[in-house]
Amino acid sequence: MNQFFQALDPDSIQTHAKGPSGSLPLSDEILRQWTSGDIFGLTQSVGMGFDPRRVLGDQFLILSTQGGVRAPDGTPIALGYHTGHWEVGLLVQAAAEQICKHEGVPFAAFVSDPCDGRSQGTKGMFDSLPYRNDAAMVMRRLIRSLPQRKGVIGVATCDKGLPAMMMALAGTGHLANVIVPGGVTLPPSVGEDSGKVQTIGARYTRGEMSLEEASLEGCRSCGTPGGGCQFLGTAATSQVVAEAMGMTVPHAALAPSGQPIWTQLARDSADASHGMVQRGETMSDILTDDALFNAMLIHAAVGGSTNLLLHIPAIAHAAGLKRPDAAAFREINRMVPRFVDCLPNGPVGHPTVRLFLAGGVPEVAWHLRNLGLLKTQARTVAGMTWDEILDQWESCERRQVCRDRLRDADGIDPDEVIMTPKVAKSRGLTSTVCFPSGNLCPEGSVIKATSIDPTVIDADGVYRNRGRARVFVSERDAIAAIKGQSEPAIQAGDVIVLIGRGPIGCGMEETYQITSALKYLSFGKQVALVTDARFSGVSTGACIGHVGPEALAGGPIAKVRDGDVIDILIDRNELTGHVNLVSSDDSMTAEEILASRTAHPDLQVEPDMPEDTRLWAALQQAGGGTWGGCVYDVDEIVRRLTKDS
């Protein structure tokens, strides 16, 4: 007999059960005034085994991005997508236990997230950025679907899950909300970090590492099973930004996943949410214009991911605040130098756990206060202003223990990871983000100027490159040329122009597969990249993204052809620059060349672009596009839909 139709023991099938013992602590007022849903919710709570004597306690929702199923000993039963959501269930448990100590009622809900590393170079990347908006909406719906919740403890780690969580908690600002960052995985004692290891395919194909080396490095990159990657990419930068905004308890970002100091953060966060309820404070009291300023300030100081130029405006929009634009980011980056040495930036490139041990966000904020730049009266979920936190920070035991541990365990001076701004300047560290314009990007573009290889920077601090364009309309074709699998192969001096990869083209894919290969190939620093796509936070090199308008929105980048001369200048001192097509002879000016051309003949919307992503692209375009954070401006969308009705 087929296995699906085998007989079962009939006595093993129950048709009714006794149900919970005891009685609900109802009152005349509850039965007369509460909705049927609120009363039925009590029935559901005891039905799941909760003590009926405790069901009237304050309700708190612990909302996380947990993925996978772990056995009690931590071994995998079903895998998650990535280490970033693999262990966060332990944070949920710790927070729930602490809520119970306050006689509260903890609830847990889960909205798992994708892995940008896993989807690099695949069709899965077409869903990456759109996922953020979808997840934020689902999270907000879950929050609203627990009508009596007083606060939300949001546990998230990685590239899209954490920005989505921040948007969700910002959008429910009337509650006592707190973010718990999921921390970081440790680097291997011997081996490559999880950023570099993503280039083993390109390096092997180009003959720069053996099959055996690739196999070994690919296996051992993640030193521990949980947490975000070991570099200051989008995941780690989002953790830093959450703390900078005041959305976390102090010294929460980048803690080593799975360790006691990490678990304690969940307990402290439960205490913080409870404290906010007692004080009558909400997330709206935390998320202010000053909080956004501090987030951009600390983003610049650490050398964070350019993806936060998409996420910070989106969080601001969710909170009902004015969205910072490129001019605001430019002004802040001119104001503050980078003084943190953390992967993927140099000069050494320390892993993220060292940034945490060196003092993390409070240490960075302390230096910024000394410069007179930090908005010190901005409040945090801990019930303290930044001034009050930093008054205690320098002499506190936590700071001393962490910094001593970094010295003792790794032999690293904490002041070599988080330098004084004066020392950083003397060592040539420059500001983080530059916004080049030009005839190929009249609306602007973005480059993480601090991560250009210093050996290709001129003595005056300016990067100059004039090279021949190699135009590609798909990442697949570009990476094949970089690997030398198509002719002509990419070589030193080329300028890769990748078009049609913005929001309209494919959901604005992240092209780390390309940028990482260029970083770790021997000739890669001599190659520039210009694209309307975006980059991973770990990307380095002369990589210029977010080109606007994007090719499929009529941007002039669509008119570049193979062999065109592209002139790039990035002034890391003034944070100015340009990306221009230049005329190769005197017969026509560059402007005349662009005016006379149509778009590239192969340019098209990605044929495999999901309908969900096409809808996202149209909606975010109405909300201000890339420079507006790729958000949904509901009022504008409704106006356009009803304009002709």
Side-chain angles (χ1 to χ4, degrees):
M1 181 180 291
N2 188 294
Q3 69 181 77
F4 300 112
F5 302 106
Q6 291 178 0
L8 298 172
D9 177 6
D11 292 333
S12 69
I13 305 172
Q14 291 182 268
T15 61
H16 53 83
K18 182 180 178 181
S21 60
S23 61
L24 292 175
L26 300 177
S27 66
D28 178 78
E29 180 185 3
I30 289 174
L31 290 172
R32 290 182 183 276
Q33 302 298 327
W34 282 26
T35 67
S36 64
D38 287 332
I39 298 173
F40 181 65
L42 303 180
T43 300
Q44 289 288 290
S45 296
V46 297
M48 290 181 277
F50 201 74
D51 186 339
R53 295 169 296 182
R54 292 185 49 212
V55 293
L56 294 183
D58 289 345
Q59 296 180 6
F60 291 85
L61 173 61
I62 310 169
L63 185 59
S64 83
T65 56
Q66 179 181 337
V69 180
R70 305 166 77 248
D73 66 356
T75 56
I77 296 173
L79 290 170
Y81 284 21
H82 54 95
T83 60
H85 63 212
W86 178 245
E87 288 187 327
V88 296
L90 300 175
L91 295 174
V92 173
Q93 180 178 339
E97 291 168 351
Q98 196 69 12
I99 289 169
C100 289
K101 289 184 179 180
H102 293 294
E103 299 184 348
V105 182
F107 289 78
F110 310 93
V111 182
S112 196
D113 54 351
C115 176
D116 279 3
R118 187 179 290 273
S119 61
Q120 289 293 335
T122 74
K123 297 175 184 178
M125 185 52 70
F126 304 159
D127 289 296
S128 171
L129 186 55
Y131 162 88
R132 184 203 65 180
N133 290 15
D134 294 345
M137 287 195 296
V138 171
M139 289 172 178
R140 286 194 295 266
R141 291 187 189 281
L142 284 172
I143 292 168
R144 294 191 294 265
S145 296
L146 189 64
Q148 292 207 15
R149 72 281 179 262
K150 292 193 173 181
V152 182
I153 299 166
V155 184
T157 309
C158 283
D159 294 37
K160 301 304 175 297
L162 182 49
M165 187 70 73
M166 295 162 73
M167 291 167 64
L169 268 59
T172 52
H174 60 292
L175 300 172
N177 298 338
V178 178
I179 290 284
V180 186
V184 298
T185 186
L186 299 184
S189 299
V190 177
E192 298 180 353
D193 66 79
S194 54
K196 185 175 182 179
V197 80
Q198 293 182 54
T199 69
I200 56 178
R203 286 183 286 153
Y204 171 76
T205 304
R206 281 283 190 165
E208 297 190 8
M209 73 186 310
S210 69
L211 176 60
E212 292 74 20
E213 289 170 331
S215 300
L216 179 60
E217 297 298 349
C219 182
R220 65 186 180 185
S221 175
C222 296
T224 48
C229 295
Q230 308 112 343
F231 46 81
L232 199 65
T234 307
T237 306
S238 296
Q239 295 187 36
V240 167
V241 163
E243 185 171 347
M245 283 185 177
M247 299 177 79
T248 79
V249 297
H251 200 218
L254 313 180
S257 181
Q259 299 187 32
I261 195 171
W262 171 83
T263 311
Q264 183 60 42
L265 288 169
R267 298 188 181 94
D268 292 343
S269 300
D271 289 343
S273 182
H274 177 263
M276 291 174 73
V277 171
Q278 299 304 304
R279 295 188 301 274
E281 289 184 343
T282 68
M283 182 55 73
S284 293
D285 297 314
I286 307 303
L287 291 180
T288 63
D289 291 335
D290 282 355
L292 291 176
F293 180 91
N294 286 342
M296 293 188 288
L297 193 72
I298 291 176
H299 172 269
V302 302
S305 163
T306 54
N307 274 325
L308 271 296
L309 274 68
L310 297 168
H311 301 320
I312 291 176
I315 296 162
H317 180 262
L321 301 172
K322 180 182 178 182
R323 285 176 274 178
D325 56 14
F329 278 100
R330 182 185 298 111
E331 184 60 30
I332 284 178
N333 275 268
R334 283 176 173 162
M335 188 184 303
V336 59
R338 176 174 70 93
F339 52 85
V340 171
D341 182 352
C342 186
L343 284 168
N345 307 315
V348 174
H350 295 283
T352 41
V353 69
R354 290 182 182 171
L355 175 52
F356 174 80
L357 292 173
V361 172
E363 192 79 8
V364 175
W366 182 58
H367 286 299
L368 291 169
R369 183 174 73 164
N370 290 341
L371 291 174
L373 297 175
L374 191 73
K375 301 292 187 181
T376 58
Q377 293 307 302
R379 296 192 62 76
T380 72
V381 295
M384 296 184 285
T385 65
W386 272 108
D387 246 346
E388 291 168 332
I389 290 172
L390 297 178
D391 283 346
Q392 301 177 42
W393 177 250
E394 184 180 7
S395 59
C396 76
E397 182 181 1
R398 182 185 183 92
R399 176 178 185 263
Q400 194 61 50
V401 167
C402 287
R403 287 166 66 87
D404 286 348
R405 182 57 181 161
L406 181 56
R407 290 188 187 95
D408 296 342
D410 287 7
I412 299 296
D413 181 351
D415 292 333
E416 294 294 311
V417 181
I418 303 175
M419 309 172 200
T420 66
K422 183 177 180 180
V423 168
K425 185 176 181 180
S426 71
R427 296 185 182 177
L429 275 68
T430 59
S431 297
T432 299
V433 180
C434 179
F435 299 87
S437 57
N439 61 26
L440 292 183
C441 45
E443 289 182 358
S445 62
V446 175
I447 182 170
K448 194 173 182 180
T450 193
S451 65
I452 302 175
D453 191 298
T455 63
V456 297
I457 302 291
D458 293 341
D460 59 356
V462 178
Y463 170 80
R464 297 176 176 87
N465 186 357
R466 180 170 288 202
R468 295 285 178 179
R470 290 292 312 280
V471 182
F472 300 93
V473 297
S474 79
E475 186 189 21
R476 295 181 295 276
D477 292 341
I479 194 64
I482 290 170
K483 288 182 174 182
Q485 295 174 324
S486 63
E487 293 296 336
I490 295 296
Q491 58 186 348
D494 286 343
V495 177
I496 298 172
V497 181
L498 178 61
I499 62 175
R501 314 316 291 174
I504 297 173
C506 66
M508 202 178 190
E509 67 186 354
E510 188 177 88
T511 58
Y512 181 60
Q513 184 181 206
I514 293 175
T515 59
S516 61
L518 293 177
K519 177 178 180 179
Y520 292 108
L521 288 171
S522 57
F523 63 90
K525 65 184 179 182
Q526 305 293 340
V527 176
L529 170 64
V530 181
T531 180
D532 50 9
R534 60 192 176 91
F535 302 130
S536 164
V538 75
S539 294
T540 59
C543 304
I544 300 165
H546 298 220
V547 165
E550 64 177 293
L552 282 160
I557 192 176
K559 299 181 179 182
V560 180
R561 301 289 192 271
D562 276 351
D564 282 345
V565 179
I566 309 296
D567 183 72
I568 301 172
L569 183 146
I570 307 296
D571 187 330
R572 302 202 304 174
N573 305 307
E574 299 297 324
L575 298 186
T576 57
H578 64 244
V579 183
N580 287 326
L581 181 145
V582 296
S583 177
S584 57
D585 56 50
D586 295 329
S587 61
M588 296 178 72
T589 66
E591 287 66 29
E592 289 171 336
I593 293 171
L594 291 171
S596 67
R597 287 180 178 172
T598 58
H600 194 284
D602 296 331
L603 179 66
Q604 61 177 335
V605 172
E606 170 63 48
D608 294 324
M609 185 172 172
E611 289 188 358
D612 303 336
T613 302
R614 290 177 56 202
L615 176 60
W616 166 86
L619 293 176
Q620 65 83 38
Q621 193 74 10
T626 301
W627 296 102
C630 293
V631 300
Y632 300 154
D633 185 331
V634 176
D635 290 339
E636 176 62 19
I637 292 169
V638 171
R639 187 191 69 80
R640 294 193 185 191
L641 288 174
T642 58
K643 182 179 178 181
D644 299 321
S645 62

